[in-house]
Amino acid sequence: MELCQRRVPRSGFAHEVIECSQRRNLLKTSAALIAGGAASYGDTIEARIARHDLKGVYKEDLPTPCMLVDQQIFEVNLQKMADHCRTTGIHLRGHVKVHKSTEIAKRQIALGGIGVTCATVAECELMSSVGIHNILLTRQPTSKNNIGRVIALAKHDPTFGTVVDDPLAAEWLEAAASAEGVKLRTVVDVYAGLTRHGIEKGAPALDLAKKVG
């Protein structure tokens, strides 16, 4: 069977088959080398970013998706929020779901933040892994997996806490914490207008607070 569609004299057929076969092998080898080189290059860039070795790294070198920050605007916003909270007596606990960055969270805390809030257990684990304390999970854990991970976080860091808005979820958390000998900091989430979460204000909220207190 011909490997390359060319009209050649029969006497030159064998030579043409070898030539086309070699060309295709060369292309396959080149493609493999390029792919391997790209992967290696990407790994190198990511490793350099991780260790803050940014000399000679340009925007087009960055793996995507990638967060790019205007440092001047970023610094102004950080300071503006810190100053506002300081003058108004508000204790800021920045929500990391906006940036998902341990470095930004550390900067917020360095400027007066009392901790961070997280929307997911994974975000809590990320923040805890770099030594950030006073982490608050803003969505009550209800699955067996998430409850187990929450208890593990509380066992590792007593300043970690979560919210609850349901008496049954509070019972699950209390049982899991008791089984591990852990005291879990718990905040009652009271309905404030959003339909996604929060227990009804008044007696229901007060009863739940007594339950987790």
Side-chain angles (χ1 to χ4, degrees):
M1 181 179 71
E2 290 189 6
L3 301 182
C4 186
Q5 292 189 5
R6 289 187 181 180
R7 294 184 180 277
V8 295
R10 183 170 296 275
S11 60
F13 177 72
H15 174 73
E16 187 68 7
V17 168
I18 294 172
E19 180 183 351
C20 290
S21 177
Q22 290 174 338
R23 186 177 302 157
R24 288 189 178 183
N25 287 336
L26 176 62
L27 290 173
K28 288 179 181 179
T29 302
S30 298
L33 288 172
I34 291 171
S40 176
Y41 175 77
D43 291 342
T44 301
I45 288 295
E46 290 179 352
R48 289 181 60 188
I49 292 172
R51 63 177 182 267
H52 299 271
D53 177 17
L54 304 179
K55 185 177 180 180
V57 176
Y58 300 94
K59 186 165 66 174
E60 59 268 24
D61 297 320
L62 301 175
T64 57
C66 182
M67 180 175 69
L68 299 180
V69 177
D70 185 308
Q71 187 169 355
Q72 184 176 3
I73 295 174
F74 169 67
E75 299 287 353
V76 169
N77 286 342
L78 271 181
Q79 195 61 57
K80 184 177 181 179
M81 179 60 77
D83 292 342
H84 172 74
C85 290
R86 189 176 300 108
T87 56
T88 55
I90 296 173
H91 296 298
L92 176 65
R93 190 190 294 271
H95 208 318
V96 306
K97 78 174 183 179
V98 177
H99 51 71
K100 293 181 172 58
S101 168
T102 56
E103 293 188 26
I104 293 177
K106 286 180 178 180
R107 294 286 299 278
Q108 291 174 314
I109 293 171
L111 287 173
I114 62 170
V116 296
T117 59
C118 301
T120 68
V121 179
E123 289 175 357
C124 294
E125 291 168 338
L126 174 64
M127 296 296 130
S128 181
S129 71
V130 296
I132 292 176
H133 300 292
N134 293 311
I135 301 167
L136 178 66
L137 176 62
T138 60
R139 187 187 66 181
Q140 70 175 1
T142 55
S143 69
K144 185 177 180 180
N145 175 268
N146 280 346
I147 289 175
R149 290 162 69 183
V150 161
I151 299 304
L153 280 165
K155 197 170 186 177
H156 171 71
D157 177 13
T159 69
F160 169 79
T162 186
V163 303
V164 293
D165 65 11
D166 185 276
L168 183 57
E171 290 177 9
W172 292 342
L173 284 167
E174 184 180 2
S178 179
E180 292 294 326
V182 174
K183 184 171 178 59
L184 176 63
R185 297 178 67 190
T186 309
V187 177
V188 173
D189 185 4
V190 181
Y191 177 71
L194 294 176
T195 58
R196 295 182 300 171
H197 56 85
I199 193 169
E200 184 182 349
K201 64 182 179 180
L206 183 58
D207 289 344
L208 183 56
K210 291 177 180 178
K211 189 177 185 68
V212 303

